[in-house]
Amino acid sequence: AAGAVSAARQSLRDDTPPVITHTPVNTVKAGISVAIQASIKDNVSVHSAAILYRQQGQPAFSETLMQYLGGDLFEGVIPKSIVAPPAVEYSIRARDVKGNAAQTQVYAIQMEDQTPPVVQHTPPPVPVEANASFVMTATITDNVGVLDAAIYVRPKGHVGYSRLSMKAGPAGLYQATAPQSIVKEPAT
């Protein structure tokens, strides 16, 4: 009888954590709840699964339990109050009946940018000195971030524009220098 009890205890030994398979959510619209699904398997049985989430830049994660959907599929929801720019970070954790735990890496969900940048530009002085370069500035802000800024210029009366990349400075100030070749004497 003692041998049968020992054999039963050995069969209950479980040192293997669950295996989590998940396809990350990459982008969503701000202000909506985000459903997160994962396949979670264990050699004995999955006891619990949770999503740890936070707004990017925050020090602490919050946690919500995932619901068992059947088979090896679990789902949890990140609440819409957290889903805001610039991003939401999350990880999935699972425990089996013996307490073995597994956790995914931290994933980042970027917000779909639905708001255009705000550009405040002061035109250069008129008239601009002929055959001299001049600096063009603009303050550019965006709720998600400015990826690129450029200004398109051409000499008066010309058909084609030249693209001048603007360099970012402090407080959203961008600048580009229009070269002498753009600022020409008017044709007589």
Side-chain angles (χ1 to χ4, degrees), residues 14-37:
D14 179 11
D15 297 327
T16 306
V19 175
I20 303 169
T21 304
H22 171 64
T23 301
V25 175
N26 295 317
T27 59
V28 296
K29 293 180 182 178
I32 64 166
S33 300
V34 181
I36 304 293
Q37 290 189 344

Side-chain angles (χ1 to χ4, degrees), residues 3 7 22 25-26 35 48 68 72 78 80 102-103 122 132 147 154 157 175 179 187:
H22 171 64
V25 175
N26 295 317
S48 64
Y68 176 66
D72 57 3
I78 298 174
K80 64 182 178 182
Q103 187 167 332
T122 303
L147 178 64
R154 68 177 180 179
Q175 294 185 337

Side-chain angles (χ1 to χ4, degrees), residues 20-26 36 52-54 56 61 78 87-92 103-110:
I20 303 169
T21 304
H22 171 64
T23 301
V25 175
N26 295 317
I36 304 293
L52 292 84
Y53 61 88
R54 67 180 177 193
Q56 191 175 52
F61 283 90
I78 298 174
V88 172
E89 296 176 325
Y90 73 96
S91 178
I92 300 169
Q103 187 167 332
T104 66
Q105 68 185 59
V106 175
Y107 303 103
I109 305 172
Q110 302 299 318

Side-chain angles (χ1 to χ4, degrees), residues 7 21 39 45 53 60 68 87 99 109 114 124 135-136 147 165 167 179 182:
T21 304
S39 167
S45 179
Y53 61 88
Y68 176 66
I109 305 172
Q114 300 195 340
V135 175
M136 300 184 73
L147 178 64
S165 291
K167 293 183 181 174
I182 297 290

Side-chain angles (χ1 to χ4, degrees), residues 64-146:
T64 187
L65 291 176
M66 298 180 82
Q67 300 298 312
Y68 176 66
L69 299 180
D72 57 3
L73 191 60
F74 288 78
E75 180 178 78
V77 177
I78 298 174
K80 64 182 178 182
S81 61
I82 298 298
V83 184
V88 172
E89 296 176 325
Y90 73 96
S91 178
I92 300 169
R93 184 181 61 219
R95 284 186 169 51
D96 67 15
V97 293
K98 291 295 186 177
N100 300 307
Q103 187 167 332
T104 66
Q105 68 185 59
V106 175
Y107 303 103
I109 305 172
Q110 302 299 318
M111 299 301 110
E112 290 179 8
D113 190 1
Q114 300 195 340
T115 306
V118 175
V119 179
Q120 296 172 322
H121 167 64
T122 303
V126 176
V128 174
E129 185 180 332
N131 298 317
S133 61
F134 65 95
V135 175
M136 300 184 73
T137 62
T139 300
I140 306 172
T141 57
D142 188 72
N143 65 323
V144 176
V146 177

